[in-house]
Structure formats: structure tokens, C-alpha cells
Amino acid sequence: MRTVFHSCLKPRAAYAIGIIAALLMVVVLVMQGTELWVTAQHRLTFAVGYGMAFCLAHLIGSAVLIRRGQTLSDSVSLWLGIAVFVLGLRQLSFLFISQASIFAVLEQLYSLTAYGLLGVVGWLGLKRYEYKDQKLKVSQKEINELKMALDAHAIVAVTDSRGVITRVNDKFCTISQYSREDLIGRTHKVINSGHHPKEFFKDLWSTITQGEVWNGEVCNRAKDGSLYWVQSTVVPFFGKDGKPEQYVAIRADITSRKEAEAQTQHMALHDALTGLPNRRLMNDRLITTIQSKERYPSFGAVLLMDLDHFKEVNDTLGHALGDELLREIAQRLTQCVRKVDTVARLGGDEFVIILDRVGADLTAATQNTKSIGEKIRQALAEPYQLGIHQLSVTPSLGVVLFDASDDDSEELIKQADIALYSAKEAGRNQLCFFEAILQEETNERALVLQELRKVLERDELKLFYQPVVDDQQNILGFEALVRWFHHEYGSISPIDFIPLAEQSGLIIPIGAWILETACWQLAQWSTDPERQNLTMAVNVSARQFNQAGFAEQVQEILIRTGARADRLRLELTESMLHDNIESTIVKMETLRKLGIRFSLDDFGTGYSSLSYLKLLPLNQLKIDKSFVDDIFEDPSHAAIARTIMALGNSLDLNVVAEGVETQQQLDWLLDNGCQSFQGYFFSHPLPIAEIETLLRAKQAGHATEH
Ligand code: C2E
Ligand code: CA
Ligand code: CA
């Protein structure tokens, strides 16, 4: 029904009505033609003129309305146009005074049609109003919803063309902690954090005053002084003069994202344990400092620091306390230097300190760095109170100075490392400057290490043997001492290559070779009644002894070679027994059960504590050669040698004096109760062939004595 009604209201219907009305009028006029006209002669000219004008006005009005209806597709105008058109036609009926009743009928018909059409117009207008009203309500609702959503999410502010705030939403007030009254009438300066440079805001203003939208991240300050970050979009709105008359700023709170970003960045560049810059940041800072030398010529310094025996702290007190100690050290280090300097942790117990502008010339720079280094050394040496534990650590420091803007950061760290190495070599707890000579030593070490890797496959190692004699100078046994005969460089002392083998881990295969070679020798002697009682002392290095499965390895070698375990002596040094005393004892006990004996080598040079000396299953102490050397020159050394002998006596340990070179030394040692001796006075370490000759000569000597 509705649709039938609607289709009747289409423009076609209006046109049809108009055309029918016009045709009807034409037909009637033609039919009544002359009669009408004659009748009209009697009418007043004025009335005719008025009637014509009125009719014309209607027809013009209708034409305008129909045109408008067509161009704007406006049905109301169209229907109204047709209604006016019909009214215009109706006017024609008055033009002529006629007796013809047809005109009375026509007038009524046209009036009715016109009212009908006006009714349609009214109805259409009403519908349109309802429709528009409904649409307005819907869009109002939509706008409200959008506004609510925007307010819930965004921080909104509207300013005038000068930037004075005219409107803010609740969210703006909440985040900035300012009330609406605080904000309105003021500019955004009120929340300026000072984080951005002036240029930043200049750029913002130049963008929006040109009528463009500005986007950016801004750090603002809330009323309580705290900072917050917003992602801001500022949109300019134009006035009639084409210039921006107000700006709407829509912002989103991105503080937590910014904080997370900052934290991630901090984590990427800082050490998690101490919060100090890490290797990456240290390297960046070092490069910047080096580059700054071009503009500000002066010396800078890199200090590479490492804690002495830090591993012991971790091993004995646990990693948690070790970490605590590192944190405390980081703090003390930071306090020792200026704010502009960098203290970084490279990892483990390694720290780097970059000092800038330590002096204009080398002498001043060296002097200043030395005193800062000394300050650091002293600050770190102060005891640490960690929970119930009080402990002390000392640092070793390697220093390198730089003043050239083209210095290489990695090279400087390497040089500081070389200097650190020599600080450790020189007895730790000190500061050592890098010198070119150190570099040479390092290069040499690298070369030796390269050759050392091939020593076994090239079969360049030999064992020499040095006799150990009793108070009658009878040979009790030998100490096996390794020799390296390099095919090109000749003989290389174990003093030079054993530490290197230790550091590089090569001591494991080399040590195994030494042990096995010495055991083959022992096995060979075991079949000879004259030699089966000879002992063989083998030096064992720390890394070798501490490797897992060392006891099993020794046992295997004994089985493989057929050497007698009770003739084998293993020489350990004091320093290697400090770490993990319990597991050391277990290992020694395992080996002792096989019959193996232990000597404590170089005794007196380390820091043995008597309490654990008693715990260790030892058989022998070897008085270090340095004490024997000085017994006549240095009374304290003589006293130490005497003490060691007394100690050996009381702990029921055999004592061997090493490095005996003269008759006087031997006499003094004999007078003081020493029972065993070793040294050039009796024999140098010799290759096996010469040892055999020596043994044969001894035998022959004995034979003639008897
Ligand atoms: P060490 O175990 O204290 O060996 C004694 C060193 O003193 C040997 O030096 C020996 O030749 C030397 N010596 C012995 N009597 C005298 C003397 O009367 N006067 C002087 N001036 N020196 C004497 P060497 O053979 O050069 O060994 C040096 C160090 O190298 C050894 O000290 C030991 O720590 C290490 N070493 C040598 N051979 C081996 C080995 O096979 N394995 C391990 N791990 N270390 C070894
Ligand atoms: Ca030795
Ligand atoms: Ca020794």
C-alpha cells in the first residue's frame, strides 16, 4: 500500500497531472473560443490585465520551482511547482466572464487539484523534516559517542591562534594534574618539561601555522613535577580569512611505552648486576673520547681492572656474595672518579675506567693517572662487610694513555690488557702502565704459544732428570724436568713455556705426556734390582691436577706403563691447593691409596696455612731454592729454611732442600737436620743416557767401596 502510494508521488505523476490540467484547459478554451472572447470585450481592461499578470506570475513561479525541482532532484519543489502551475491555469478561468458553467466546474476542479498537490507538498515536506530530524539525532548520537571514545582514549586540548588554551578534556586534566581553571587561558608552556630543545617547538609552530598537521612525541611535566610522554597530533582549523584560527591537539599517553623503551635501551647498554655501562657502551664512550682529542688535545687514560683471586670468593662464599661484592666494588669505583669519567663492567670481575683530560703532557697525564689509580686501589682494598662476612680483595690495573684522535679503541683495550697482565705477573695488587716492550713480550708469547701447540706432534719435548740425594749423597731418586728443544729456536726453558701451557690449557696433554714418559722410565728401572727403589718426582701443574678425572688418568698411566705407584712422587705447589681444599684432599687420598706420595714444591714462597698443611696427605716438603741461595746472606731466609725443617720434623714430613750449589750450603743444611738434597752441587738435570752413566758410575763406586 505504502509503495503504491510512494510510486504515485514520483515526479512522473506530477508532470502527468500538470500536462492533463494544461491540455484540459486548452481543449475547453478552443471549444468555447470566440464566445469567450466576445464576452471578454465587456470586461474591464484593468481586470484582464490583472488576471493575466497574476496568471503569468503563477506560471513563472511554477517554472522556477519545477526547474529547481529538476536540478536539485527536489520533489517538494517539483510538486509545489506543479501546484502553482495548476493555480495559474485556474486563474485563466477568471480571465473571461462567461456564462459557460464549464468554467465554474473548471475553477473548482483546478482548485481541488491545486489543494491536492499542496497537500502532497505538505506531506513531502513533513516527511523530509522528520527524516532530517532523525538524521540529525543519529549524527548527534554518533558525534557524542565519538567524543566519548576520544575522551576515554585521548588527551584533547583546543587553543586559539596564539596557542592559548580554550578547551581541554578531563583526560588532559587527569594526566597533567592541573584543573581546567589552571589550564584555560594559559599556553602549553605550563606543562613544558624542558626535555626538548627550543628548535623542537619552533618546528611544531612553523608546521601548524602553515596549515599542516604536526605529529610528534612530546615529553611533558605534570603539576607534581613528574614527567609523562604523549604522542601528539596538532590539527589547525582555518578561519574565514584562510588563516588558522584554532588548533586542536589530540594526544595519547605513551609514558609506559617510553619507559619500556628506555629500559630496554638501558638494559642493552648496561650491566644487569652493577648497573654500570657494559662493554658496548664503554666502547662507544671510548670512541667518543678518542675522537674528542681532535678538538680538545689532552691525554685520556684507559684503566683495565681485574680483581685478584676473585674466583676464590665465588668458590668459597658462593656466587650470591660474589655478586654482592661486585656491586659494592662498582659503587666504590664510581665514587673514585669524576662524573664525566666512565666506569664500565666488561663481565666477571673485569672493569674498565675511562678517564678523560688527565693531563696536557705525558708527564702530567702519567702522574695524574697514577694517583687516580692509586686512589682506586686503596678504595678497593678497604675491607668489605657482606652480611656476616668481612673480606678483602685487591685489584690489578693495566693502564694505557692516549692523545691521538685516530687511536683505535680495541687496540687501546688490548694494550691495557697487556699492562694488566704484567701487573699480575709483577705480583698483583698494583698498577702497571702499558709500554711498547710489553707489546713485544705479548707478541713473543703469542708466537711461542703457536709453536707450543705443535710440540707433541713434532716430538720436541724431552725429560731430563735431576738426582735427589741423601745425607751420604746416595741417589734416592730423580725429579723429572721437562725440556723443549724447538727445531728452530733451540732450547726453551720450562719457566717460559709451562706458565703459557697452563694458561692455554695445553698443560693437559703436555702434562699427560710428561707423566707417562716418567712412568715408562720408572717401569724400566723396576726390573733392575739396582734401580727398582729409585723414586721419580713429577711436577704437576694446577690446571692439570684440578682437571676432572686426574686421579683416574694417573691410574691408567700406571697400569699402561707398569710403573710402581709407590715409587712415584707428585710435586704440587702451595698455590694450587688453596682452591677447593676438600676436593683436593679427596683426590690426594685416592692417589695415595694407590701408593703415590706427594711433595709440596717451592715451599715457603706461598701462603700456606699450617692448619691445612696438617690436613693434606703430604710426605715431603721441598725448601725453595731461593731460601737455600741466601742462607748466608739473608738471616731471615736462613730462619725460614730452619723453620721449614723443624716443621717437617714435627709434621713427620721428609724435607728436601732444592738448589744446593755449594759444599757450604750442604754443610749448613746438614747441620740443621736436612736429610735430602737436590742441586747442581750433585748434578744438573740430565738426559736419560747421562743419568744411566751417572748411575753406573755410582754403582761402580759402591762396588769398589765394598
Ligand atoms: P722446580 O719444580 O722448582 O724445578 C726445579 C728447578 O730448579 C729446575 O729448573 C732445575 O733445573 C733448577 N735447579 C735445580 N738445581 C738447581 C741449582 O742448584 N741451581 C739452580 N740455579 N737451579 C737449579 P727447570 O728445569 O728450569 O724448571 C723450572 C720450573 O719449571 C720447575 O721448577 C717447575 O716449576 C717447572 N717445570 C719443569 N719441568 C716441569 C714439568 O715436567 N712439569 C711441570 N708442570 N712443571 C715443570
Ligand atoms: Ca719441582
Ligand atoms: Ca721447586
Side-chain angles (χ1 to χ4, degrees), residues 362-373:
L362 189 62
T363 325
T366 311
Q367 201 45 52
N368 288 338
T369 311
K370 220 180 233 167
S371 59
I372 297 170

Side-chain angles (χ1 to χ4, degrees), residues 452 479-482 494-495 497-515 537-551 553-554 569-579 584 587-588 591 598-602:
L452 195 61
E479 176 177 359
L481 292 157
V482 71
I495 297 179
F497 76 84
I498 291 290
L500 213 58
E502 271 260 328
Q503 285 159 25
S504 60
L506 284 171
I507 195 68
I508 307 284
I510 291 176
W513 179 89
I514 292 168
L515 196 62
V538 176
N539 294 287
V540 176
S541 77
R543 192 138 174 199
Q544 194 185 356
F545 182 78
N546 290 328
Q547 69 174 302
F550 176 70
Q553 188 190 48
V554 176
R569 305 242 178 297
L570 296 183
E571 293 196 0
L572 311 178
T573 53
E574 291 168 76
S575 59
M576 62 199 263
L577 304 175
H578 290 306
D579 300 344
T584 301
K587 221 173 236 187
M588 287 172 78
L591 291 166
F598 288 96
S599 301
L600 200 49
D601 205 357
D602 306 339

Side-chain angles (χ1 to χ4, degrees), residues 322-339:
D323 287 354
E324 187 83 9
L325 179 64
L326 288 173
R327 270 196 289 267
E328 173 81 32
I329 281 171
Q331 235 168 38
R332 290 193 192 179
L333 277 177
T334 315
Q335 280 161 6
C336 286
V337 298
R338 300 164 298 178
K339 270 216 156 64

Side-chain angles (χ1 to χ4, degrees), residues 479 539 571 601-603 622-625 658:
E479 176 177 359
N539 294 287
E571 293 196 0
D601 205 357
D602 306 339
F603 191 66
K622 294 185 87 168
I623 306 177
D624 190 63
K625 180 182 164 300
E658 282 187 304

